[in-house]
Amino acid sequence: MLLLFLLVLLAASPALASSSAQSCSSNPFSTPYTSLKSPHSSKDPADPKNLGLLPRGPQVAMPVRVANLESRLNALPTDLDRYTLLASVLETDSNLYFATVSNDVPRWMPMIYTPTVGAACQNFSKIHTNQPKGIYLTKSDKGNIAEVLKNWPYEAIKVIVVTDGERILGLGDLGANGMGISIGKLALYTALGGIAPESTLPVHIDFGCNVAEVRDDPMYMGLRTSRPSTPEEVKEYDEFLAEFFEAVKTTYGESALVQFEDFGNSNAFRFLEMFQQKYTTFNDDIQGTASVVLGGIMASLRLTSVVEGGAKSLKDHTFLFFGAGEAGCGIAGLIAETIRQENPGMSIEEARKNIWLVDSRGVVTAKRDTAKLAHHKLPFAHAAPADVEPKDLLAAVQALSPTALIGVSGQPQTFSKEIVQSMTSTQARPIIFSLSNPTSKSECTAEQAYEWSDGKAIFATGSPFAPVTYKGKEYITGQGNNAYIFPGVGLGAIFSQASRVDDNDMITAARALAGLVPQENLDSGSCYPDLELAREVSVRIAVEVAKAAWERGTAKRERVPGGDKELEAAIRDSMWAPRV
């Protein structure tokens, strides 16, 4: 009888039922309690609707709260513990989180991203708090992706970082545990790029995991199945991604930026080719890494151009890449395109001729079976000198005499003393970039590079290293961190409402970055700006990216009147900052 009464009541009051449903759907935090649970809400105990839910004493000033959190963080025994505490703060109070990170970017960025995010991803299922951290899509959501996206309570999404967890840093396939990468990258979009945290959305696409040790972990939260392998399964994955992009466009608008992160090599290149000309998207592993490395090399020209025989422009370099995956081929391709643009009349083939790759089988040459060679390696399969031993990096260095050796292999301690000394014997200022992440995967350490090169190497790494003192001089290792690039590129694209992001934007960003490296940094060994200036770097890059979008006609926003000064001011005004 009670059920019948309720049904009659609802039928007699359709407006009431409709109003109630509409209220719940339009405001996901419809009660004071649930509103205070939101990480982005104002925690004001004096607000009448919050009475009784928070202590009512005087509010503690933000600098005091930041100092308290920093004290708690410093008291913890491990970086993973610090990551976990910061993650819990991000879930409840984004204002405190970003005020703390912004207060000391060099100190806390390694805790929220590389290298600590590597350990966090390896342990993600174990440290997960069972609270929503983003959108988890699985292959069973095909045909329903837009509806799943709508379950996220914030509608004004401007940037998405999406991963499928197949190639997390240098750690391999971590499956659903890779969500930590998307969360970390978006934290930097906010801290360094000024994108409001509620306008960011981490996404993980779960099509399985190929590492049994990960899948079989009792705590693993992802699908316990292998990744697509048959043509039919791959086709299904391609169709899923196509639906995903359309769902993002429909739900959040055409200018919503999607950043690919840590997909496996074959999918990464294929998806970039499939979607870059149709949507606002880029792949940070391929393009962002390429841009930050290009920027470092451009800056280092101020050092190599003043020594006898040193490179005075990019075309004077001979590049040798150890690692021919997303990062290696992405950097190589962007360098070649930049050389072509800087030398009118030069073909892209000619621009590539002094760029060499070393993969797991050795030097990539024209002697390889091109039918079996990955398509992203083909442009760099040159005719090799007869004395190159295909499986020996040292022999390749000796035969090719590279001016720049760039490590993106994920293979630690592979830049040996003999290799560094061989480069130093032919180059007054050899460029040696050991970029594999996390720190444990670096091809060599900063101390090794400076000692083995007798202090001559222009050295950079992917993860932070402490300063090194060699023969009485302190060397500050530059960190070729993508955080110098993607927040600024994203900010410029979002501000201008760009419909496309391509290699030209990455070259623009690299040039801007190179121009921001002070001479004193170069003199101390770093070809990058100080990390505490990363937010300023983002602003300057955003100005150039927005200008380029208007010049190419890809910007939907009306151009800001005036010059660079007025544009920079408008971009700064658009940036979110924590309330202090």
Side-chain angles (χ1 to χ4, degrees):
M1 290 298 292
L2 178 61
L3 178 59
L4 179 61
F5 172 76
L6 289 173
L7 289 173
V8 171
L9 180 63
L10 284 174
S13 308
L16 178 63
S18 174
S19 173
S20 175
Q22 187 176 29
S23 173
C24 291
S25 63
S26 64
N27 183 7
F29 304 108
S30 55
T31 70
Y33 177 84
T34 54
S35 177
L36 287 172
K37 284 286 189 178
S38 165
H40 313 307
S41 64
S42 176
K43 320 291 185 184
D44 183 4
D47 189 323
K49 67 177 183 291
N50 294 337
L51 291 181
L53 296 177
L54 292 171
R56 297 188 217 178
Q59 284 193 286
V60 180
M62 183 59 74
V64 177
R65 298 182 65 210
V66 168
N68 176 66
L69 179 55
E70 288 180 335
S71 176
R72 293 172 62 197
L73 289 164
N74 288 328
L76 294 172
T78 70
D79 287 346
L80 183 58
D81 291 327
R82 285 181 267 274
Y83 173 96
T84 304
L85 175 55
L86 281 166
S88 70
V89 173
L90 180 60
E91 290 180 357
T92 56
D93 192 343
S94 61
N95 203 51
L96 174 60
Y97 176 92
F98 287 108
T100 303
V101 172
S102 301
N103 188 55
D104 192 349
V105 171
R107 172 74 174 102
W108 302 120
M109 198 172 92
M111 300 301 116
I112 65 175
Y113 198 61
T114 181
T116 309
V117 73
C121 286
Q122 289 175 311
N123 292 277
F124 197 76
S125 290
K126 296 182 177 70
I127 64 176
H128 195 277
T129 57
N130 211 31
Q131 294 295 311
K133 300 177 186 297
I135 288 291
Y136 294 85
L137 295 169
T138 75
K139 56 186 178 181
S140 63
D141 295 319
K142 187 179 179 184
N144 196 44
I145 296 175
E147 292 303 311
V148 176
L149 291 179
K150 291 175 184 176
N151 285 334
W152 191 246
Y154 304 100
E155 298 177 354
I157 299 300
K158 294 180 179 179
V159 58
I160 292 169
V161 174
V162 59
T163 186
D164 70 354
E166 186 174 2
R167 195 201 59 82
I168 299 298
L169 303 174
L171 302 172
D173 190 350
L174 298 182
N177 293 335
M179 178 60 115
I181 286 290
S182 295
I183 295 168
K185 279 289 172 83
L186 286 169
L188 297 182
Y189 263 108
T190 298
L192 307 182
I195 308 302
E198 61 267 36
S199 295
T200 69
L201 175 58
V203 174
H204 179 270
I205 295 175
D206 196 346
F207 261 68
C209 174
N210 284 344
V211 177
E213 182 181 358
V214 173
R215 286 198 316 265
D216 296 342
D217 186 325
M219 290 298 296
Y220 182 60
M221 299 183 299
L223 298 181
R224 297 174 186 268
T225 185
S226 298
R227 293 184 179 275
S229 58
T230 67
E232 293 77 15
E233 291 171 335
V234 172
K235 181 175 180 291
E236 180 187 18
Y237 197 12
D238 290 354
E239 292 170 349
F240 188 97
L241 261 291
E243 182 188 341
F244 168 72
F245 271 95
E246 277 300 304
V248 168
K249 180 179 176 180
T250 300
T251 308
Y252 304 121
E254 187 176 356
S255 296
L257 174 65
V258 177
Q259 176 178 311
F260 284 109
E261 193 69 33
D262 286 354
F263 282 71
N265 285 341
S266 60
N267 288 332
F269 285 101
R270 189 175 76 258
F271 290 153
L272 187 61
E273 291 174 3
M274 287 172 63
F275 302 114
Q276 189 171 31
Q277 297 307 313
K278 299 178 182 177
Y279 304 95
T280 310
T281 187
F282 70 95
N283 184 303
D284 190 52
D285 305 297
I286 297 172
Q287 296 168 287
T289 300
S291 184
V292 76
V293 173
L294 176 61
I297 292 169
M298 285 176 164
S300 72
L301 288 170
R302 283 186 265 162
L303 297 176
T304 60
S305 62
V306 297
V307 297
E308 185 177 355
K312 293 177 171 53
S313 68
L314 290 176
K315 68 179 177 60
D316 299 328
H317 274 297
T318 297
F319 297 95
L320 181 62
F321 287 86
F322 185 57
E326 295 171 53
C329 291
I331 302 165
L334 197 67
I335 289 173
E337 176 58 21
T338 308
I339 292 172
R340 187 194 67 78
Q341 291 185 13
E342 291 180 346
N343 296 274
M346 179 181 286
S347 67
I348 190 64
E349 290 77 18
E350 187 177 0
R352 293 170 180 150
K353 69 179 183 181
N354 289 326
I355 303 175
W356 298 82
L357 307 178
V358 175
D359 63 9
S360 59
R361 294 180 55 198
V363 180
V364 176
T365 71
K367 294 181 180 180
R368 295 276 187 94
D369 184 348
T370 56
K372 297 181 180 180
L373 192 63
H375 77 282
H376 54 273
K377 302 178 187 179
L378 283 171
F380 304 99
H382 310 308
D387 55 351
V388 171
E389 170 57 47
K391 297 184 182 302
D392 191 336
L393 179 60
L394 174 60
V397 170
Q398 292 171 337
L400 297 171
S401 297
T403 57
L405 176 63
I406 300 172
V408 282
S409 66
Q411 302 297 315
Q413 291 297 299
T414 42
F415 288 178
S416 65
K417 181 178 182 179
E418 292 77 15
I419 287 172
V420 173
Q421 289 181 336
S422 179
M423 288 198 65
T424 308
S425 69
T426 60
Q427 308 299 326
R429 298 301 307 271
I431 293 174
I432 301 174
F433 284 8
S434 177
L435 301 175
S436 292
N437 287 316
T439 309
S440 61
K441 299 292 183 178
S442 186
E443 285 81 6
C444 69
T445 67
E447 186 175 8
Q448 290 168 336
Y450 293 123
E451 180 180 340
W452 294 342
S453 69
D454 196 27
K456 297 175 182 177
I458 302 171
F459 184 64
T461 58
S463 291
F465 276 83
V468 173
T469 300
Y470 177 72
K471 291 187 175 180
K473 178 180 178 179
E474 185 178 63
Y475 293 86
I476 308 297
T477 299
Q479 186 183 353
N481 195 313
N482 295 21
Y484 284 118
I485 296 294
F486 69 82
V489 170
L491 175 60
I494 290 166
F495 180 84
S496 64
Q497 297 176 15
S499 59
R500 302 289 180 271
V501 177
D502 61 21
D503 283 352
N504 291 304
D505 295 298
M506 300 301 167
I507 294 171
T508 295
R511 288 199 176 106
L513 176 63
L516 295 171
V517 182
Q519 186 61 43
E520 54 264 33
N521 285 37
L522 290 167
D523 293 339
S524 67
S526 174
C527 49
Y528 291 101
D530 296 336
L531 200 55
E532 56 259 32
L533 300 176
R535 189 172 171 104
E536 287 301 306
V537 171
S538 295
V539 172
R540 299 287 289 277
I541 287 176
V543 168
E544 298 304 318
V545 169
K547 285 164 55 180
W550 279 307
E551 289 165 5
R552 294 202 307 272
T554 58
K556 290 185 171 56
R557 176 176 178 156
E558 185 176 344
R559 189 162 194 156
V560 174
D564 287 5
K565 183 177 180 181
E566 288 75 17
L567 174 57
E568 181 177 325
I571 288 176
R572 288 185 187 277
D573 286 345
S574 75
M575 296 172 71
W576 181 90
R579 300 181 301 276
V580 295

